[in-house]
Amino acid sequence: MIYPCFNGLHGHPPLITRKCFPAIVAWDRPGGLRAVLQEFRADIQEVDVVDQAVMMDMDTPDDYQRIIAYLARQDLPTAEECEALLRHLQTPIKVVRHGEAVAATAVIMAEHLNKNGYKLDEKLVRVGGLLHDIGKGSSDHAAAGADILTKLGYLPAAEIVRRHMDLGMMTGLDEAAVVYLADKIIAGDQLVPLSRRFAKAKDRFAGQPEILSLVDRRLATARLIKQKIEDVLGLSDIGEILPKGGIAHGNGLY
């Protein structure tokens, strides 16, 4: 008998082996199916999944409304599903912490932009920030991370992850641009000036003009986004809206 497990908890439906059928048919004690399956607990196998829906019931009107809300955003993982996915991929804790800080920073910027007439999807911004480095360790981690999320059906988040290293043509202040800037002003889990964030790369590739040109282009893109946000919000520096003394770790994943 196999149970899908989400964050260490048994979900449903279980895959029930034929050997259980006679006991299920003959069961006449309290507890229903759950109770009779416990008679076979020695045979239970568990399979970790990153789908929170395996934990959802539809027994009450409130349950039904929760499932409707979940299905309405099925193309975007919940915070709990982000956590499960990061655990499943054995993402290093420093990468998780960086993602939390990037997500928190990006959401703050998105909230302020939305108060000034923008209509950014703050949930998408948070997920993009949390998962932008999910492919870390691959030679092209942006493409690798985007591929992981695409296979799971999380296409909007996959696009943000794909663009977080090299935004490409910028058409405006969208969710990808906000996450891109947040990633560039966070080193580890600390807020830093753009010049400091790019200093190490500039030193490392000082003798490689082609790579250095790419670094300079990414820095220029980050500066352009930063300036646009500051202009929209009437700020002299983006740091005016960000927490002093460090960025909160989002949902505290891990």
Side-chain angles (χ1 to χ4, degrees):
M1 183 166 51
I2 301 173
Y3 273 96
C5 291
F6 182 78
N7 281 344
L9 299 175
H10 282 183
H12 53 75
L15 181 61
I16 302 173
T17 180
R18 184 182 296 272
K19 68 181 287 187
C20 300
F21 291 2
I24 293 173
V25 172
W27 188 261
D28 60 359
R29 286 177 278 165
L33 182 62
R34 184 188 303 272
V36 66
L37 292 182
Q38 282 302 304
E39 298 292 311
F40 299 90
R41 53 186 172 273
D43 299 321
I44 289 176
Q45 297 183 40
E46 300 175 341
V47 175
D48 289 329
V49 300
V50 296
D51 184 354
Q52 191 175 1
V54 303
M55 303 303 299
M56 294 181 177
D57 293 316
M58 198 164 65
D59 300 328
T60 69
D62 286 345
D63 289 342
Y64 176 73
Q65 291 303 322
R66 277 191 289 271
I67 288 177
I68 292 297
Y70 176 82
L71 291 176
R73 292 308 307 267
Q74 204 170 11
D75 63 347
L76 193 66
T78 65
E80 292 83 359
E81 286 171 334
C82 289
E83 177 179 1
L85 182 56
L86 290 165
R87 286 185 185 277
H88 178 72
L89 296 174
Q90 299 181 328
T91 307
I93 187 65
K94 66 179 182 180
V95 176
V96 175
R97 293 290 182 240
H98 173 68
E100 290 176 343
V102 168
T105 302
V107 168
I108 290 171
M109 292 191 288
E111 289 172 345
H112 280 79
L113 289 169
N114 285 345
K115 290 176 183 177
N116 282 268
Y118 282 76
K119 296 181 179 179
L120 300 177
D121 186 334
E122 294 172 20
K123 290 183 178 179
L124 175 58
V125 168
R126 182 179 295 281
V127 169
L130 288 172
L131 301 182
H132 75 281
D133 274 346
I134 199 169
K136 203 75 170 179
S138 301
S139 56
D140 183 349
H141 78 274
D147 186 54
I148 291 170
L149 297 180
T150 296
K151 289 177 179 177
L152 290 171
Y154 301 140
L155 302 186
E159 180 64 9
I160 289 180
V161 171
R162 184 183 67 80
R163 299 173 63 196
H164 87 271
M165 286 294 293
D166 194 344
L167 192 62
M169 183 177 293
M170 181 180 165
T171 57
L173 291 176
D174 59 9
E175 292 85 357
V178 171
V179 172
Y180 180 93
L181 177 60
D183 180 43
K184 304 303 178 287
I185 59 176
I186 296 292
D189 60 358
Q190 297 297 311
L191 184 67
V192 297
L194 280 171
S195 57
R196 187 189 306 174
R197 182 72 163 80
F198 281 84
K200 186 176 180 179
K202 281 179 166 290
D203 289 342
R204 180 181 177 187
F205 299 112
Q208 302 179 56
E210 290 186 6
I211 298 180
L212 188 59
S213 175
L214 178 60
V215 172
D216 286 336
R217 189 180 78 201
R218 291 173 177 172
L219 173 56
T221 298
R223 283 176 170 161
L224 176 61
I225 298 169
K226 180 174 178 288
Q227 186 62 59
K228 283 182 174 292
I229 293 177
E230 290 167 351
D231 290 345
V232 169
L233 302 184
L235 304 173
S236 59
D237 187 85
I238 194 72
E240 295 173 32
I241 62 169
L242 299 175
K244 304 298 184 291
I247 300 295
H249 284 153
N251 293 300
L253 303 184
Y254 274 33

